[in-house]
């Protein structure tokens, strides 16, 4: 059972390390984790986010030990924390032996080698790995994700077809599962015919999904999917061509609006 599937059984820790190269899953884990830690507290007063590339250790410690007048909860998230941990490893090793009694720390890392002293001192329950899925287990992930996230049943052949069309990028697969869920409505299952109708017929390039999300104001998810596409097997020049085509269309629309020219 994965962390997201067992989120209701999270064991409270004074710090967490979320690591790996699967950005979509990391975003979901961090979101779930912060929701669990904050409970009903207002994030504006209870949640602080920092970039690990610009953060100093004294600033981090001060944030962890500070409580807002409006909330007794304090959660500090350090994004892209690899540089921070590397530069302040000795201080962090000391910190976890005497962590803040006020705030909870979440470190977002690309890697967290088990051989390091920091990893050995971090409880297993506080280490959450989000590694890229292999080709052999992407299909299994689709079936489980459809069930836990969307409460839909999807067979292995149908999941296989979805992966064939979209590739292993979990962010893109999730976006299409959401669309399929809306399409099937109250039906309990997503069938291969649904995939053919909604995904196969409408998908000429994955880049269109990125621009669709941007148009919906979901920029963070669009960037995450773009990063996954760049890391996948799709040809880079094809991707760039798709972006260029869409940007040219946007520029044309912008110029028409400026010139106050109507559609022909």
């Amino acid at each position: 059972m994965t962390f997201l599937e067992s989120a209701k059984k999270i064991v409270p820790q004074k710090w967490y390390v979320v690591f790996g190269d699967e950005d979509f899953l990391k975003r979901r884990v961090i979101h779930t984790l912060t929701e669990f830690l904050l409970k009903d507290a207002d994030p504006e007063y209870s949640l602080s986010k920092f970039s690990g590339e610009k953060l100093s250790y004294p600033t981090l410690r001060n944030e962890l030990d500070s409580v807002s007048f409006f909330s007794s909860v304090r959660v500090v998230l350090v994004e892209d924390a690899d540089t921070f941990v590397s530069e302040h490893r000795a201080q962090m090793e000391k910190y976890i032996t005497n962590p803040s009694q006020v705030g909870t720390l979440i470190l977002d890392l690309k890697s967290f080698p088990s051989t390091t002293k920091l990893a050995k001192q971090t409880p297993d329950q506080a280490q959450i790995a989000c590694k890229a899925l292999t080709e052999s287990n992407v299909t299994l992930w689709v079936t489980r994700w459809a069930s836990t996230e969307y409460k839909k049943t999807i067979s292995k052949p149908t999941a296989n077809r979805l992966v064939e069309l979209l590739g292993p990028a979990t962010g893109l697969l999730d976006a299409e599962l959401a669309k399929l869920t809306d399409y099937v409505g109250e039906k309990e299952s997503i069938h291969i015919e649904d995939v053919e109708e909604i995904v196969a017929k409408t998908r000429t390039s994955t880049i269109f999904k990125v621009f669709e999300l941007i148009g919906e104001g979901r920029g963070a998810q669009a960037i995450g999917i773009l990063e996954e596409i760049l890391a996948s097997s799709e040809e880079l020049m094809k991707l760039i061509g798709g972006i260029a085509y869409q940007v040219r269309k946007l520029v044309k629309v912008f110029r028409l609006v400026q010139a106050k020219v109507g559609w022909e």
Side-chain angles (χ1 to χ4, degrees), residues 17 161 253:
V17 179
R161 178 58 177 151
V253 171

Side-chain angles (χ1 to χ4, degrees), residues 121-186:
Q121 291 178 306
T122 301
D124 290 343
Q125 299 93 329
Q127 299 186 40
I128 307 168
C130 301
K131 298 180 180 179
L133 303 176
T134 62
E135 291 184 7
S136 61
N137 59 22
V138 172
T139 299
L140 176 60
W141 180 85
V142 169
T143 59
R144 294 170 66 173
W145 190 252
S147 175
T148 57
E149 186 71 11
Y150 297 106
K151 306 298 185 267
K152 298 295 182 184
T153 300
I154 184 168
S155 68
K156 185 176 179 180
T158 302
N160 268 329
R161 178 58 177 151
L162 194 61
V163 174
E164 285 176 5
L165 289 167
L166 301 174
T170 52
L172 189 59
L173 289 165
D174 171 70
E176 292 302 311
L177 281 172
K179 187 189 295 184
L180 285 162
T181 298
D182 290 338
Y183 176 72
V184 302
E186 296 181 0

Side-chain angles (χ1 to χ4, degrees), residues 2-251:
T2 67
F3 173 84
L4 291 172
E5 291 173 323
S6 60
K8 294 181 179 179
K9 300 178 181 179
I10 297 175
V11 179
Q13 304 290 329
K14 296 308 296 181
W15 74 92
Y16 295 86
V17 179
V18 183
F19 64 98
D21 51 6
E22 178 44 80
D23 291 333
F24 169 75
L25 294 180
K26 280 210 297 185
R27 290 195 302 273
R28 294 303 294 260
V29 165
I30 290 172
H31 175 75
T32 300
L33 194 54
T34 52
E35 278 195 336
F36 166 78
L37 295 170
L38 291 174
K39 295 183 172 61
D40 296 327
D42 188 338
E44 183 176 353
Y45 303 109
S46 306
L47 175 63
S48 297
K49 297 181 181 180
F50 294 93
S51 168
E53 297 180 355
K54 302 177 181 179
L55 181 63
S56 68
Y57 180 78
T59 299
L60 173 66
R61 185 73 208 216
N62 182 65
E63 282 290 328
L64 286 165
D65 291 334
S66 300
V67 179
S68 167
F69 177 77
F70 301 99
S71 175
S72 60
V73 178
R74 169 60 62 188
V75 177
V76 179
L77 168 62
V78 183
E79 299 173 320
D80 300 318
D82 296 83
T83 299
F84 174 81
V85 170
S86 178
E87 294 178 351
H88 304 281
R89 185 171 298 277
Q91 290 167 303
M92 289 305 301
E93 289 172 352
K94 290 181 180 179
Y95 172 81
I96 61 178
T97 62
N98 184 30
S100 170
Q101 298 304 303
V102 175
T104 301
L105 172 64
I106 303 175
L107 294 174
D108 168 13
L109 297 168
K110 283 291 185 185
S111 63
F112 193 53
S114 59
T115 54
T116 63
K117 184 177 179 181
L118 197 59
K120 291 177 180 179
Q121 291 178 306
T122 301
D124 290 343
Q125 299 93 329
Q127 299 186 40
I128 307 168
C130 301
K131 298 180 180 179
L133 303 176
T134 62
E135 291 184 7
S136 61
N137 59 22
V138 172
T139 299
L140 176 60
W141 180 85
V142 169
T143 59
R144 294 170 66 173
W145 190 252
S147 175
T148 57
E149 186 71 11
Y150 297 106
K151 306 298 185 267
K152 298 295 182 184
T153 300
I154 184 168
S155 68
K156 185 176 179 180
T158 302
N160 268 329
R161 178 58 177 151
L162 194 61
V163 174
E164 285 176 5
L165 289 167
L166 301 174
T170 52
L172 189 59
L173 289 165
D174 171 70
E176 292 302 311
L177 281 172
K179 187 189 295 184
L180 285 162
T181 298
D182 290 338
Y183 176 72
V184 302
E186 296 181 0
K187 296 179 181 178
E188 295 182 355
S189 300
I190 295 172
H191 299 288
I192 198 163
E193 294 82 7
D194 304 319
V195 173
E196 296 295 342
E197 182 67 27
I198 296 301
V199 182
K201 284 187 177 181
T202 60
R203 180 184 176 271
T204 56
S205 172
T206 52
I207 193 60
F208 294 135
K209 171 54 66 176
V210 173
F211 278 88
E212 181 181 324
L213 291 170
I214 292 173
E216 295 172 356
R218 298 157 67 186
Q221 188 174 354
I223 291 172
I225 291 176
L226 184 57
E227 289 175 343
E228 291 181 333
I229 294 172
L230 286 169
S232 71
S233 59
E234 184 165 349
E235 295 180 8
L236 181 58
M237 293 308 297
K238 181 179 178 182
L239 177 63
I240 293 174
I243 293 175
Y245 174 73
Q246 293 295 318
V247 170
R248 284 195 297 270
K249 288 174 63 178
L250 291 173
V251 170

